Amino acid sequence: MLPAFRCLAAASLLLCAAQAQAFSLDDVVGRARVLMSAPYAAPVSNLPPVFSQMQFADYQKIQPLAQRFEWRDQPTPFKLNFYHQGMQFNAPVAIHEIVDGNVREIGYDPQRFDFGNLAFDKNQTSKLGYAGFRVLYPINREGKEDEIMSFLGASYFRVIGKGQTYGLSGRGLAIDTALPSVDKSQPTAEEFPNFREFWIQRPSAPDQQLVIYALMDSPRVTGAYQFTLRPGADAVLDVKARLFMRGTVSTLGVAPLTSMFLFGPNQQSDKRNYRPAIHDSNGLAIHTGAGERLWRPLNDPRNLTVSSFMVDSPKGFGLLQRGREFSRFEDIKDRYDLRPSAWIEPQGDWGRGKVQLVEIPTADETNDNIVAFWTPEVQPQAGEALQYDYRMHWTMDEPALMDKNLAWVRQTFHTTGELLQSNLIRQPDGTTAFHIDFEGPVLAGLPPDAVVNAQVSVNANADLVSSAVERNPAINGWRVTLRMRVKDPAQAVELRAALASGNKTLSETWSYQLPPGGSAAQ
């Protein structure tokens, strides 16, 4: 409920009335501050065994009933429905509605759900609640209620625009991701904050945006969030995060993204598969405060890998799905070609820090194994308050994110190096090779006699045997081919390449890590 307002005199009644109408982020900030000063209380499961021991296939049978969607009887294109508790979603999440300044809790009602053929005592739902919620909006055609946003589990959420399908996820915050645990019985010391409570502003008929407030809690951080969702061909989500440190963290991950990469042309599968690639995202893009553009293709490494990119006052970063032709995936069921990219655009100066990329080994496509976030150079201490505002673009128009004066990497191919012999037979020569295709208007507009060269660097764990640049007329771009000899296959190789013409930079920087054991020449 709203915090009580105290009117000290009759003259202040109008002021108090105005305050009562204005539930805002400040109200959630007040709650987060109170939580920060109190001992952490972990969410407590209220699930009976029939729900706590439920398998995923059975959990999927619990579906919201369309006739019971929230705002069904309201003149707004937005609708809400709810996730039922079950499996690991074992503690209820409070969900409130804000209408004309009044706040009411949207109480749990089992009559909102179709439980399919699940057999259980209906009395066992009497003390349950919601695990999260979905937002629906007619994004693809008039009158069709499409799911466009979802909050479920910890501080995870997903968003899609027109014609898109769910892929990567956003998170409210990441804490100590991929750090070794003090407790050797645990794989990591990562902490997963939870959104414990939501307040959703009921939109009026003409409103084209939805405002959601969330209260976050974890052992070492509390937080107040405001999400403003604007549906469209691209979905835009403005985020205001106010963080309050209960304790000290080693790595605070701001604006984290979580995705999946299993294989693609830069790291082919060692198993037969009709699909050329399986991934929700295939690279990390960064726009530094100094104006440099970086592209780091993703890997599914043999061991957990953490890569850091020093980025002061970042202008943007994100996990992107570059290359959307269906032929790149050939997957009719999962439609990886329709999964959006997510681009983070900081609002204001975030100061000195770095973008961190975490790549985790995975055996299949059901596990998210990629995390990216920004972290400040100096980690906050207990008692500090922090503020981060940013805009998230959920898009399938990746070229629109690019600088039109720079070419970008279209594709990275990793293969065994080879030489063309005098008899025209291609002979493997024991090297590892990369073919990097660059495209973009700046390349398409070059004159036929343009001289283009590649600026290439390789770390000390490899010798660069050759580099070559040639036109790629099929894409109206250019291809860089690198051949190198890896010295120690048990160590990573770091490579960088960019196109230039004289003193003019023509492209973003391709920054790649060949992980240990990743040499194609082995």
Side-chain angles (χ1 to χ4, degrees):
M1 298 298 292
L2 281 170
F5 293 96
R6 294 183 179 180
C7 298
L8 301 180
S12 66
L13 285 175
L14 290 178
L15 174 60
C16 288
Q19 288 175 323
Q21 296 291 320
F23 185 94
S24 70
L25 180 59
D26 290 340
D27 295 288
V28 190
V29 165
R31 289 173 174 262
R33 286 186 182 276
V34 170
L35 280 179
M36 178 185 68
S37 61
Y40 174 70
V44 178
S45 174
N46 64 341
L47 289 183
V50 67
F51 287 99
S52 64
Q53 298 172 11
M54 187 174 284
Q55 297 300 307
F56 181 72
D58 284 335
Y59 182 69
Q60 286 288 89
K61 294 177 182 178
I62 308 175
Q63 293 296 317
L65 293 168
Q67 64 269 29
R68 293 296 307 276
F69 288 177
E70 194 69 20
W71 303 335
R72 169 62 71 208
D73 58 347
Q74 299 298 321
T76 171
F78 291 94
K79 301 290 183 290
L80 301 177
N81 66 42
F82 306 99
Y83 288 102
H84 200 279
Q85 285 185 261
M87 302 192 305
Q88 72 268 32
F89 311 117
N90 57 16
V93 174
I95 301 174
H96 309 269
E97 178 187 29
I98 309 167
V99 185
D100 297 329
N102 296 313
V103 175
R104 73 170 185 93
E105 184 172 0
I106 303 175
Y108 168 76
D109 183 353
Q111 298 301 314
R112 288 183 182 268
F113 298 94
D114 179 356
F115 291 91
N117 63 357
L118 296 179
F120 57 91
D121 182 352
K122 295 299 188 288
N123 291 327
Q124 292 184 311
T125 65
S126 62
K127 296 182 180 180
L128 298 184
Y130 301 124
F133 66 95
R134 306 174 180 90
V135 177
L136 298 96
Y137 185 89
I139 192 66
N140 291 304
R141 71 172 186 266
E142 189 71 25
K144 183 178 183 295
E145 294 166 342
D146 298 299
E147 184 178 333
I148 61 169
M149 188 177 193
S150 169
F151 283 91
L152 179 66
S155 65
Y156 285 88
F157 58 90
R158 297 194 291 180
V159 181
I160 51 176
K162 184 176 182 178
Q164 302 172 15
T165 62
Y166 279 145
L168 81 170
S169 300
R171 291 161 65 180
L173 197 67
I175 299 176
D176 289 355
T177 303
L179 289 183
S181 175
V182 175
D183 181 354
K184 299 303 182 182
S185 67
Q186 300 297 321
T188 71
E190 184 167 6
E191 184 172 302
F192 292 89
N194 289 290
F195 284 140
R196 302 282 289 269
E197 198 166 357
F198 292 95
W199 296 262
I200 308 169
Q201 180 75 52
R202 182 199 291 178
S204 62
D207 286 348
Q208 299 298 307
Q209 66 180 33
L210 184 68
V211 179
I212 301 165
Y213 302 99
L215 177 66
M216 189 191 73
D217 193 20
S218 77
R220 288 178 287 171
V221 186
T222 69
Y225 285 74
Q226 177 180 310
F227 300 94
T228 302
L229 173 65
R230 294 193 295 277
D234 289 348
V236 176
L237 186 69
D238 286 328
V239 182
K240 295 180 182 294
R242 307 293 181 261
L243 306 177
F244 304 93
M245 306 302 299
R246 260 204 189 103
T248 300
V249 302
S250 297
T251 304
L252 187 76
V254 177
L257 298 170
T258 300
S259 192
M260 180 276 296
F261 180 90
L262 188 61
F263 63 83
N266 65 295
Q267 186 187 44
Q268 298 176 3
S269 175
D270 57 0
K271 300 175 183 178
R272 295 181 67 88
N273 198 305
Y274 75 95
R275 296 172 290 181
I278 296 177
H279 48 71
D280 290 338
S281 311
N282 59 357
L284 168 66
I286 301 174
H287 188 191
T288 72
E292 184 181 13
R293 298 269 187 165
L294 300 173
W295 174 250
R296 164 60 154 80
L298 300 178
N299 291 305
D300 174 19
R302 295 185 180 182
N303 299 293
L304 186 147
T305 301
V306 178
S307 301
S308 296
F309 303 85
M310 300 304 299
V311 182
D312 295 341
S313 305
K315 295 181 179 179
F317 67 94
L319 292 174
L320 309 188
Q321 184 79 305
R322 282 191 182 173
R324 298 198 161 273
E325 300 88 345
F326 178 75
S327 59
R328 295 199 186 206
F329 303 95
E330 297 291 352
D331 195 318
I332 295 174
K333 177 180 178 293
D334 289 322
R335 296 308 301 266
Y336 291 104
D337 58 307
L338 300 180
R339 304 197 176 195
S341 297
W343 179 254
I344 308 293
E345 183 183 345
Q347 307 294 295
D349 187 352
W350 283 11
R352 296 181 61 84
K354 58 189 176 185
V355 174
Q356 199 157 83
L357 173 67
V358 179
E359 296 166 305
I360 305 166
T362 184
D364 57 58
E365 62 204 278
T366 64
N367 299 310
D368 284 342
N369 65 322
I370 304 295
V371 184
F373 51 81
W374 186 85
T375 187
E377 180 181 55
V378 179
Q379 296 301 308
Q381 302 298 306
E384 287 192 46
L386 308 169
Q387 174 177 320
Y388 293 101
D389 295 343
Y390 53 96
R391 174 167 291 175
M392 303 182 74
H393 300 265
W394 302 77
T395 180
M396 293 198 302
D397 186 8
E398 288 75 23
L401 302 173
M402 297 303 302
D403 182 341
K404 298 302 184 291
N405 296 315
L406 290 176
W408 56 86
V409 176
R410 172 188 172 92
Q411 189 69 281
T412 300
F413 300 93
H414 177 202
T415 186
T416 298
E418 59 188 15
L419 292 175
L420 187 64
Q421 301 180 109
S422 58
N423 60 4
L424 303 185
I425 295 176
R426 298 177 186 236
Q427 178 65 42
D429 66 348
T431 64
T432 291
F434 288 92
H435 301 285
I436 309 112
D437 281 339
F438 292 85
E439 65 178 357
V442 67
L443 297 182
L446 289 176
D449 60 347
V451 177
V452 176
N453 56 74
Q455 300 173 334
V456 179
S457 65
V458 180
N459 75 348
N461 193 38
D463 291 324
L464 183 64
V465 175
S466 68
S467 66
V469 182
E470 59 185 329
R471 286 185 182 272
N472 185 340
I475 63 170
N476 211 6
W478 289 72
R479 173 172 291 183
V480 175
T481 299
L482 308 177
R483 291 166 52 245
M484 63 181 189
R485 295 188 189 277
V486 178
K487 297 178 181 178
D488 183 359
Q491 302 297 319
V493 177
E494 300 284 350
L495 307 98
R496 289 168 64 94
L499 293 179
S501 181
N503 294 324
K504 181 181 179 182
T505 299
L506 296 178
S507 75
E508 67 182 2
T509 299
W510 174 82
S511 177
Y512 190 73
Q513 182 184 85
L514 181 65
S519 172
Q522 292 183 66

